[in-house]
Amino acid sequence: MNKKEWRGTIMARLKTFSEQEKQRNSKTIYDHLFQLPIWEVSKTLGITISTSKEIDTTPIIEKAWELGKKVAVPKCLPETKQLDFRELHSFTQLESVYYGLQEPIVAKTAPVYPVHIDLLLVPGLCFDSRGYRIGFGGGYYDRFLAEFKGVKVALAYDEQLIDTVPEEEHDIPVDFIVTPRGVLTCSR
Ligand SMILES: Nc1ncnc2c1ncn2[C@@H]1O[C@H](COP(=O)(O)OP(=O)(O)OP(=O)(O)O)[C@@H](O)[C@H]1O
Ligand SMILES: [Mg+2]
């Protein structure tokens, strides 16, 4: 299957999940994430505000604040397909943009430079054991990751793991995938 077909397949799979199942699996994922050595040492976390079909990132952001980490949330810049990470101290600094995506309000947030982000949670629809991912198709993250030097971690339900992502030249794999069953160290 090509990327587009996989996106459809995985979206359909995720829709069959009950809220209860999602919550149970998410909790296990958080527990595994919070035990990762890179989580412990990271000072600045790059993370998106999840949409309803994704693993809820709110508890992760709250935990990071609790631990005194800096939280950087991206705003998509459609003209250049770049990500502008801004420092988030409170969910009141967010606004709803296209497709109901929540993004930081530029006037209310300071920029965070990519070199300061030491741990990045990379969103995606599905992943393989090499860490290759299929995202939402904008290429925003691939562009960003091309220059990114920190550790890249993805969160995924088991249903989002596939054998082989039909990767392309520009695709950049993640380093770890945290699933309800544990942490996968991606080998290539
Ligand atoms: N580093 C890059 N430079 C220029 N174009 C890029 C780069 N990375 C990706 N693209 C373009 O972005 C488009 C989408 O890429 P792809 O299908 O891999 O999206 P994706 O990985 O699902 O999206 P995202 O990275 O936002 O999660 C492709 O047409 C690709 O050519
Ligand atoms: Mg890609």
Side-chain angles (χ1 to χ4, degrees), residues 3 7 132-143 165 167-168 170-172:
K3 284 183 175 176
R7 285 187 185 103
Y132 278 106
R133 50 181 272 284
I134 299 179
F136 295 90
Y140 284 89
Y141 270 87
D142 284 316
R143 283 179 184 81
V165 163
E167 88 274 11
E168 298 169 89
H170 64 261
D171 284 319
I172 315 261

Side-chain angles (χ1 to χ4, degrees), residues 35-183:
Q35 281 168 25
L36 262 187
I38 180 62
W39 168 267
E40 306 225 336
V41 301
S42 73
K43 294 196 163 26
T44 302
L45 171 70
I47 186 167
T48 55
I49 306 297
S50 52
T51 59
S52 60
K53 281 172 211 68
E54 295 177 284
I55 294 160
D56 186 5
T57 55
T58 313
I60 303 173
I61 294 173
E62 286 170 340
K63 183 69 151 189
W65 281 334
E66 224 178 276
L67 295 172
K69 296 181 194 297
K70 195 181 262 197
V71 173
V73 170
K75 181 173 177 63
C76 295
L77 307 178
E79 306 83 50
T80 52
K81 299 258 169 128
Q82 280 177 312
L83 296 175
D84 176 19
F85 279 88
R86 324 275 316 173
E87 186 171 356
L88 200 76
H89 298 282
S90 148
F91 293 111
T92 60
Q93 291 169 295
L94 296 171
E95 63 182 346
S96 257
V97 290
Y98 35 79
Y99 307 122
L101 273 182
Q102 296 255 97
E103 289 192 343
I105 301 168
V106 170
K108 287 192 181 175
T109 50
V112 175
Y113 297 103
V115 289
H116 291 146
I117 299 174
D118 43 14
L119 170 59
L120 182 67
L121 292 192
V122 184
L125 272 168
C126 58
F127 307 87
D128 69 21
S129 59
R130 300 170 302 163
Y132 278 106
R133 50 181 272 284
I134 299 179
F136 295 90
Y140 284 89
Y141 270 87
D142 284 316
R143 283 179 184 81
F144 185 79
L145 294 179
E147 307 292 330
F148 182 68
K149 301 283 192 290
V151 178
K152 307 175 283 288
V153 173
L155 311 178
Y157 298 120
D158 288 325
E159 289 74 4
Q160 289 175 285
L161 298 177
I162 67 173
D163 273 350
T164 311
V165 163
E167 88 274 11
E168 298 169 89
E169 197 105 312
H170 64 261
D171 284 319
I172 315 261
V174 298
D175 303 305
F176 299 97
I177 304 172
V178 183
T179 78
R181 283 186 292 174
V183 177

